[in-house]
Amino acid sequence: MKKIQICMLIAIIVASVWVYVSREEEPPKSIQVGVSLYMENDTFLEGIVEAMEAEALLYEETTGISVDLNVSVANGSQREQNEQVKRYINLGYDAICVNLVDRTSAATIVDMAEVGERQIPVVFFNREPVEEDILRRENVYYVGSEAKESAIFQGNSVVDAYAKYGDIMDKNGDGILQYVMLEGELGHQDAIIRSDYSVQTIEDMGVTLKKLETGTADWNRQNAYAMMGKWLDIHGDAIELVLCNNDDMALGALDVLTEREMTAAVFGIDATDAGLEALDAGLLWATVDCNAEDQGCAIIQVLTSSILEGTAATTVSYLDGRYVRSEIFELKSEFWQ
Ligand code: BGC
């Protein structure tokens, strides 16, 4: 009996030492994350990726687990994005973060990231899939901001500005704001919702608008510059208000207005660094801080918790368990606060 007990004790000690030694020899733990962006040079997305990188570093400092982000861009091609995701999966990555090219292609990606028993966590961000695709299986999330809220903030800013500076904004004094609208990409939820609700908010609050032009400049400063240039050729000084679905397009409009020494009240959304500079300089009348920083942090928290604990992160708040919506803020230029 005693012999058996001694043997068991030795076995336990040997096993413990083995576990200890093998743990000591383990390579540093790391998480491999594949990120695919719809396009390169998108200012707002650059802000989100920067925030993801900063949060990944912080995560490593606090837990000792490194989060390695491999970022690729899909150049506006869903086929290319699917290839990138496939490559990440073949390389055995632990999680995939996707800023979709085509919002209707989420199901393909969710299914690709299910390999046998393995359900690789997928975090979609900024370009929102339909709910059905998010709920297709466990460990699929969406991080973004509320498009309607940003539009309402933009609309409110215009109404506030009009109450204070109606005489400056209404250049021809006819009691109507003649406006143009620079829209983001066709089919993007933020472009559709922001365009609708911004105008609706202004009108609902009693300011009369007249649409002169509306067109899609694909979120892009150069496109907006060209489009606004054409509209100024046609309408000249009659353009009083420029509603923009994002800051980059607002900056494009401001570039051409400044170049031609013309004025109009320009409103953006995003609060990118360049947008904030224009706000500080009193060129941009207002923007909406869509909190790229918070979105980037949330993506890392959602995916690390999903990989390591197989559950939703407790550090962020979810709507319906799968959606993280960052808090957003209205920002006005200092000259009329
Ligand atoms: C941002 C845009 C950005 C787009 C990319 C929008 O939410 O406001 O600046 O270009 O997302 O998908």
Side-chain angles (χ1 to χ4, degrees):
M1 190 64 193
K2 217 164 180 190
K3 262 189 190 165
I4 296 176
Q5 280 173 341
I6 290 171
C7 283
M8 276 175 69
L9 190 67
I10 292 172
I12 289 169
I13 292 171
V14 168
S16 315
V17 169
W18 184 82
V19 166
Y20 178 78
V21 168
S22 62
R23 196 179 280 157
E24 285 289 287
E25 284 171 3
E26 257 180 28
K29 282 189 254 166
S30 70
I31 292 174
Q32 306 300 319
V33 179
V35 183
S36 175
L37 306 178
Y38 85 108
M39 187 74 83
E40 64 181 342
N41 297 330
D42 183 291
T43 316
F44 186 70
L45 291 176
E46 280 166 5
I48 294 184
V49 172
E50 250 172 51
M52 286 169 71
E53 281 161 352
E55 183 67 13
L57 269 185
L58 193 70
Y59 188 82
E60 181 174 2
E61 277 163 24
T62 45
T63 64
I65 302 172
S66 74
V67 180
D68 303 333
L69 303 177
N70 184 350
V71 183
S72 39
V73 287
N75 300 313
S77 154
Q78 189 57 53
R79 214 170 49 87
E80 202 167 326
Q81 182 158 67
N82 291 353
E83 286 303 314
Q84 286 164 356
V85 171
K86 202 188 283 169
R87 193 167 54 85
Y88 291 145
I89 292 165
N90 290 341
L91 287 169
Y93 277 30
D94 302 292
I96 312 289
C97 295
V98 183
N99 170 243
L100 284 165
V101 174
D102 173 358
R103 290 168 53 224
T104 61
S105 292
T108 314
I109 287 173
V110 172
D111 291 349
M112 273 195 315
E114 190 166 0
V115 189
E117 295 282 278
R118 229 178 131 224
Q119 293 198 330
I120 302 166
V122 180
V123 184
F124 292 104
F125 64 102
N126 172 263
R127 301 160 74 92
E128 188 171 345
V130 289
E131 193 182 11
E132 203 184 310
D133 293 345
I134 296 282
L135 300 179
R136 205 167 164 85
R137 67 159 166 87
E138 293 301 303
N139 288 323
V140 179
Y141 298 94
Y142 177 72
V143 175
S145 63
E146 193 63 71
K148 185 171 168 188
E149 207 179 352
S150 58
I152 293 174
F153 277 141
Q154 183 176 70
N156 283 340
S157 299
V158 172
V159 174
D160 287 355
Y162 191 64
K164 246 181 161 172
Y165 298 106
D167 49 340
I168 298 176
M169 290 171 84
D170 183 12
K171 289 186 284 185
N172 63 2
D174 65 354
I176 299 169
L177 284 180
Q178 275 78 19
Y179 79 95
V180 295
M181 165 86 75
L182 285 162
E183 297 187 65
E185 220 179 328
L186 287 176
H188 193 302
Q189 84 279 346
D190 287 348
I192 301 165
I193 298 172
R194 286 175 186 170
S195 301
D196 285 353
Y197 282 97
S198 166
V199 167
Q200 193 179 310
T201 305
I202 299 167
E203 290 182 331
D204 285 353
M205 291 175 87
V207 176
T208 312
L209 293 176
K210 183 175 176 214
K211 180 167 75 191
L212 297 181
E213 299 282 355
T214 174
T216 172
D218 282 336
W219 306 117
N220 178 281
R221 185 169 181 159
Q222 282 76 33
N223 293 352
Y225 172 89
M227 191 163 274
M228 183 71 186
K230 272 191 208 143
W231 292 344
L232 285 172
D233 290 344
I234 302 168
H235 302 283
D237 220 31
I239 300 176
E240 297 174 328
L241 172 66
V242 189
L243 296 171
C244 308
N245 283 175
N246 79 344
D247 281 355
D248 266 4
M249 294 189 295
L251 292 167
L254 283 167
D255 290 340
V256 62
L257 283 166
T258 310
E259 199 176 278
R260 298 190 189 189
E261 296 182 359
M262 295 174 82
T263 59
V266 181
F267 290 75
I269 291 180
D270 274 352
T272 59
D273 289 347
L276 291 176
E277 263 173 45
L279 196 77
D280 285 347
L283 296 168
L284 187 63
W285 281 51
T287 186
V288 180
D289 185 348
C290 291
N291 218 336
E293 198 180 327
D294 191 61
Q295 293 191 34
C297 291
I299 294 168
I300 297 298
Q301 290 171 18
V302 167
L303 67 86
T304 48
S305 156
S306 185
I307 295 165
L308 298 172
E309 284 138 50
T311 58
T314 48
T315 44
V316 292
S317 45
Y318 295 85
L319 286 174
D320 306 329
R322 302 295 192 94
Y323 289 82
V324 181
R325 305 269 185 204
S326 291
E327 203 181 338
I328 64 176
F329 313 91
E330 185 180 348
L331 295 176
K332 291 170 179 171
S333 180
E334 249 175 48
F335 77 88
W336 66 281
Q337 265 172 23

